Every structure is written in C-alpha cells, then in structure tokens.
Amino acid sequence: MSSVVLRNGTVLTMDGRQPLVDHDVLVAGDRIAAIGPRLEVPEGTVEVDATNGIVMPGMIDTHRHMWQTAMRGYGADWTLTQYFVWYYLEWGKVFRPQDVHAGNLLGAAEALDAGVTTTVDWSHGLQTTEHADAAVDALRAVPGRFVLAYGNIQDSPAAWTATPEFRDFVSRRITGDDMLGFQLAFDVTGDPSFPEKAAFEVARELGVPVTTHAGVWGATNDDGIRLMYDNGFMTPQSIYVHAATLSADSYHRIAATGGSISVSTESEQSAGQGYPPTWAIREHGIPVSLSMDTSVWWSGDLFSAMRATLGADRAREHMAAHGTNDTVTHSSLRAEQVVQWATTGGARALGRDADLGSLEVGKKADIVLLRNENSPAMFPILNPYGHVAFQAQRSDVDTVLVDGRIVKRDHKLVGVDLDSIRTQVSDTVDHLRAQLGEEAWAKGMNPDIPESKVLDNPYTYTEYRGDTRTSV
C-alpha cells in the first residue's frame, strides 16, 4: 500500500480543533492514517516538505458550469441577461459533444490546480446523451473527484428526464463509483402548473439529489420554492444555488427541510442574481457551501470565492449599520467560517461529510498544501484561516492529493496533459468563432455600453491647468 507524508506544516483539520503547528499528515492508500508531530512512517513513504506551509482539506466547489470553460473570460462584461441570451437562446445550442469535452477537461484541470479536489459539474449544456458521455469522459480523464449534475437548458426537465436515452446513460455511466457522483440539475420557474414535477419524480426514483438555481432575480423566485415544498420535493440533499432574492418564508422552508445553499459571491455581486445572501442565510442557520459558477466571467478558484464572500457579507453589515447611524465594531462573519464553507460545507452539501471535508484519521485523503517559498505573500503565517481566505492564491498551491494520489507536486499538475487540453480547447474556440462569425463573436464579447447619464448638478465643473481655472 502506497503512503505519503506531509511534514512539518500548519495543519487545518477543520474538525473543530485549533490549527496544529509543526505537524505531519500521513496518508496510506486512499485514507489519512495519522496526524501528529514527527510521525514514524513506513519505508518507502513519499515525503513532502510542508515547512512554512498550510495543510488543509481539499476544497469543494458545489456549482461550476465546466462545459463553458473554453470561453474563459469571454463574458467579463456581461450581465445575467446577456448570459441567458447567449447560452439559452442563441449560441449554447452550437456546442458539439467535443466542445463539452474540451470545456470539462480544462475546467477539471484548473480546479485541481487551485486545490479544488471535488467539483460539481453543473452541466446544463447536455443537449444529447452524446454530450453527456463526452462530459463524463473528460471528468474520467482528469484525476479529480467530480459530481455530474446533469441538465439541458435546450429542453424542459420533464422532457429530457423522460427519454430512454437518458435512462440508458444513467445505467451505463453512473455506477456508484466513489470518484463520480450524480445529481439532476434544473430550475423551477414558478409556473403554477409545476411542469418540473415529473423531473423531481425521476430524481426521487433514481435516488439522486436535485440542484437548482433558486432566488435568481427575474428568473426563479419564492413561487418555485413553495411548489417544491408543497409537493414534498425539498430534502436535506437539495442544493439551492444563489438563493439571493428569496423571502424569509423561503429561507424558513429551506432551513426546515435541511437543504443547503451554494453561494457564488463573485457571480451574484457582478451578474445580478441579487446581493450575495450569506448575511440572510446565516440568520436562518442554513448550511452554506461555496462555488465559482463559470469561468466565462470569473476566477476558477475558491480563494477568490472566500475573499469575495467575506467582503460582500461585511460590506452589507457595515451599510446596514450606517443606515441606522450605527457602527459595526466586531465582524460577524470570520475567516475561519468561509474556509469551513469551502471545505466541510461542500462535503456536507454533497452528503460526503463522513469521509470528505476535514483532515481526520480514517477519512479520504483529499489534501492541499499551500506553500510557496518564492512568494513574499506566504510569510509570516500568523492567522492561518485569515491567510487562506485573504492572502493565498492558486499559485501558492504546492501539492494536491485526491483519494491519496498526488495530482499536483511542486506547483505542477501530475497526470494532466495540458498540451492536449490546449489543442482541444483551441478547436472549440475556432468552431464557436466560425459558427458565430467574426462580427457576432466580437459583439458578444463586447456588449453595448449604455449611454452615460448626465447628473443634475447645480454647480459648474472646473478643470485646473496650471494656475488657470477654466469652466468646461
């Protein structure tokens, strides 16, 4: 049985213990065998120097549209409306199975590179089961842990879940493998006739969770939550993504039925789903996990997600206090909490908290070492949780283990052919540009800028040139 030991690091177990300074973590096979100072290890154990570094559980992303990764940064200036138009109404349908494959390969590799050891592939571009097979083939080709959340935005959930092709795919590809989980991914519009009911019944029959974009401004609202609740489809396994524009009544329903919320703060604060809702979620005691949504806009790492979440939550707290002429003197949301959301929170949301999300003897060895001797930002490490949440970034991910296997070492991915992925992604980009044409491609990436609004101003703007003041 192969073994690995990470030596002399600051260990964040995420199981309620304080950070363990100058400790080792021993991995035997796919499990954590021991945690302690100066551990004795079997002969032949691979030794990883964690001195001046932070050893933590692998991070878990509960909502990432990996099929869109080949378009990294394309929609940097989009609103949510422009995203919907581009993918749902116009160009999402031109993605071939090989394009889904290329996006998933790239998305999976960048997740591992950033220390995200488990990723939910919120794969709502699966127009056919050929697309779904391509998505799974890509996930299988990268040595990470994934959950395929099967969806199809080009058809209704009741329709695509009812096809024999879908059932055949599930029987062929979803085999209970520990490295590939399964969910159904679809949204509930709030239509009183509840057209999504049949899809929920399929999920119940298959015994798999449903993940849904809830509380998205202009798209999904409290009516969808009420329909799910009244029909008995809100369960502890349900994951509500964003949940940014829900009422207290909906939060109460989620809390009462034991579900969790996947917060994508970079997305919510930029695209327009609603204000990042951790302040409201915390009030209702609802479990939280973090996600990055899509690389069409945002970063592919959870360091950015933690940072953005702390900033948004604290900004809201300060502004609420200022509105009543008060001052916040102690922050309610702490760095340790967002690190928990990025690790144990994700494990709990996926029903994997018994073996993932924390560093404990007997648990799965999904482990990340943050260490960068060439970075002045990686010392001193005084507050390890604060360092993870505010200082670290993907370039500081030195080593990553998934299921006890080293998949990144000395800042380089292991067992991932980036040259092959680059070639496949280039083919997808060329295909998309050809389908759109250069004019539409450029326009999609550079949406129109709204006309500037001239403010009512009783004063005269001036500009100073030397000692001369002139009106403009």
Side-chain angles (χ1 to χ4, degrees), residues 233-275:
F233 293 121
M234 295 180 74
T235 74
Q237 293 75 40
S238 301
I239 299 177
Y240 307 88
V241 178
H242 301 308
T245 54
L246 296 177
S247 67
D249 184 72
S250 289
Y251 289 131
H252 284 308
R253 293 176 193 260
I254 294 172
T257 53
S260 64
I261 292 175
S262 176
V263 175
S264 301
T265 307
E266 284 190 288
S267 178
E268 288 124 24
Q269 68 186 5
S270 177
Q273 290 92 337
Y275 196 87

Side-chain angles (χ1 to χ4, degrees), residues 4-13 17 19-28 31-42 45-56 359-361 367-369 401:
V4 179
V5 65
L6 295 94
R7 290 282 195 198
N8 201 41
T10 296
V11 180
L12 303 183
T13 60
R17 285 180 283 177
L20 306 176
V21 179
D22 297 333
H23 271 53
D24 305 339
V25 178
L26 175 63
V27 172
R31 301 281 172 171
I32 297 172
I35 301 173
R38 299 177 296 282
L39 294 175
E40 292 188 12
V41 301
T45 297
V46 175
E47 301 229 1
V48 177
D49 184 8
T51 305
N52 300 323
I54 296 172
V55 181
M56 63 180 289
L359 301 184
E360 299 178 66
V361 173
I367 303 172
V368 170
L369 167 62
L401 284 79

Side-chain angles (χ1 to χ4, degrees), residues 141-204:
V142 176
R145 197 183 300 279
F146 301 100
V147 176
L148 178 72
Y150 192 118
N152 178 7
I153 56 177
Q154 303 303 331
D155 200 359
S156 69
W160 59 259
T161 57
T163 65
E165 293 82 6
F166 171 74
R167 294 301 186 118
D168 174 66
F169 169 84
V170 174
S171 65
R172 285 188 297 106
R173 303 308 300 267
I174 307 304
T175 60
D177 186 338
D178 179 60
M179 301 300 288
L180 182 67
F182 190 59
Q183 301 174 351
L184 296 191
F186 58 85
D187 296 339
V188 182
T189 63
D191 182 335
S193 67
F194 197 27
E196 302 85 8
K197 182 177 180 180
F200 277 107
E201 290 171 341
V202 170
R204 177 177 288 170

Side-chain angles (χ1 to χ4, degrees), residues 386-407:
H387 212 99
V388 171
F390 276 128
Q391 308 297 324
Q393 51 193 317
R394 73 164 56 241
S395 61
D396 301 317
V397 176
D398 175 280
T399 301
V400 179
L401 284 79
V402 179
D403 216 40
R405 174 184 175 185
I406 294 177
V407 299

Side-chain angles (χ1 to χ4, degrees), residues 84-96:
F84 283 151
V85 169
W86 205 98
Y87 280 110
Y88 286 61
L89 302 179
E90 293 181 343
W91 300 111
K93 57 180 69 73
V94 308
F95 278 70
R96 306 164 297 177

Side-chain angles (χ1 to χ4, degrees), residues 24 77 94 97 112 117 120 136 182 242 391 399 426 446:
D24 305 339
D77 295 319
V94 308
L112 285 184
T117 53
V120 174
V136 171
F182 190 59
H242 301 308
Q391 308 297 324
T399 301
S426 293
N446 301 284

Side-chain angles (χ1 to χ4, degrees), residues 323-337:
T324 59
N325 202 31
D326 200 359
T327 299
V328 173
T329 59
H330 295 77
S331 295
S332 298
L333 183 62
R334 301 304 176 101
E336 181 178 356
Q337 288 173 269

